[in-house]
Structures are given as C-alpha cells and as structure tokens.
Amino acid sequence: MAESSESKLRLIERHIRAFQNFPKEGILFRDICPILKNPACLTAVMDLLEEHVRNNHQQVDLIVGLDARGFLFGPLLAQRLGVGFVLVRKKGKLPGATVSVAYNLEYGKAEVEVQEDAVTAGQKVLIIDDLLATGGTMHAACELMKKQQAEVLGCMVIVELKDLKGTDRLKDQKVFSLIQY
C-alpha cells in the first residue's frame, strides 16, 4: 500500500535537524543532511516533488538547480521526469561562455551564472534548491532564466523559513515548499 503524502511529510520533518547559532550567533540552521542519509526519507522527498510537478506543470523542459544543494535534488527529479538538468553556480565555477546576474546579500554582493548554451529561449523551467530563506539567490536565478528567455514555471524547495519572507522577493513566481518553519 502506498504511503500517504502526510506520512511522507512527517518522515521528512523528523529528518530535519535544527542547530542554534550556526553559522553565527542568532541563526537557527535547518540541516537537511539526515534526509540524504536515509534512503526512505530521500525517496519521500523525491516522491512529493515529482507528484507536485506532475499535478501542476503539464510541460517542463528543464530542472534548474541552485549551487550547491539544489544539485542534490535537481538531477534526481529531472531523471524521474525525463527532462534535463541545468546548474546555476556561483560566479567563476563554470567553464566556457556564461551569462550572469549580480544580486545583493545582507552582507555584500554575490553573482550567479549559467552556461550560455544551457537554456534555450522559450524552454519551460522549474528552479529547485534545498531551502528558501530571504529569497536572494532564488530571485537571482529567476532573473538569470529570464535573461536566457526561459519561462520560469515556479520555484521548489524542501524547507521554507517563513519568517524571513523569501516569497516576498519572488512575488512573480509560484513557490512550492515541502516543509515550512
């Protein structure tokens, strides 16, 4: 008998650890590493992400994963859906011609990039990462995909930190999160 979505979510939630004051004082860090260590839990994550995509997006051409934890879930989801996977990396990490977008962080600036030929104009993409906090990196990835003339269907994360209001930065996007804190 198939496991229910609710029981899968409970399993996932049990495998997310909280660490006080990491990486600095005042931060409550949500650690997804135990999900990766547990095959049943990782399967539950992938089942729920796949179910969401199949129920909400009739056509997807590419899954776009954010550096670095989007690289853990994105290829697995892409394989299940039978579509390609594209990496969005921090500036300077990709070979060949790239397209980049700079964005502001609370403590400075950052830049993400994609290989120039990774996405074709008009392709329908879903962007994935492990966690949505303030939304800066996810927003930059959306802007990068728009720069490539791709159609961003939505953004997906395992964990959303609601208090940090990351969805406010992604007003133009549908955001799907498995677990919210």
Side-chain angles (χ1 to χ4, degrees), residues 7-130:
S7 64
K8 289 177 184 180
L9 284 172
R10 284 193 306 271
L11 175 65
I12 295 164
E13 201 162 24
R14 285 194 311 269
H15 284 82
I16 297 172
R17 295 185 294 191
F19 287 95
Q20 289 285 350
N21 302 314
F22 182 83
K24 62 182 186 174
E25 191 71 28
I27 303 287
L28 178 62
F29 186 84
R30 300 291 179 169
D31 179 26
I32 60 142
C33 290
I35 290 172
L36 301 170
K37 197 167 84 173
N38 184 299
C41 191
L42 181 56
T43 297
V45 167
M46 299 318 303
D47 288 350
L48 292 171
L49 291 174
E50 179 184 6
E51 179 182 316
H52 169 76
V53 174
R54 292 197 186 279
N55 290 338
N56 294 282
H57 303 287
Q58 299 309 309
Q59 184 191 350
V60 177
D61 297 312
L62 295 170
I63 300 296
V64 176
L66 302 189
D67 197 343
R69 292 181 177 211
F71 301 169
L72 302 172
F73 301 100
L76 296 173
L77 181 59
Q79 183 182 39
R80 282 183 172 211
L81 297 171
V83 301
F85 176 75
V86 170
L87 299 98
V88 168
R89 300 231 37 206
K90 295 173 183 123
K91 181 81 172 159
K93 300 288 185 180
L94 290 170
T98 61
V99 177
S100 65
V101 168
Y103 62 103
N104 291 321
L105 298 167
E106 49 280 4
Y107 52 84
K109 290 186 180 270
E111 202 166 346
V112 291
E113 64 184 0
V114 66
Q115 288 176 318
E116 190 175 76
D117 61 354
V119 180
T120 304
Q123 283 191 300
K124 297 175 184 328
V125 304
L126 285 167
I127 302 174
I128 189 168
D129 203 3
D130 67 322

Side-chain angles (χ1 to χ4, degrees), residues 130-151:
D130 67 322
L131 183 129
L132 178 64
T134 63
T137 306
M138 187 69 77
H139 181 263
C142 290
E143 293 303 307
L144 188 57
M145 290 299 107
K146 288 177 189 172
K147 201 172 186 179
Q148 291 292 88
Q149 300 177 13
E151 181 183 341

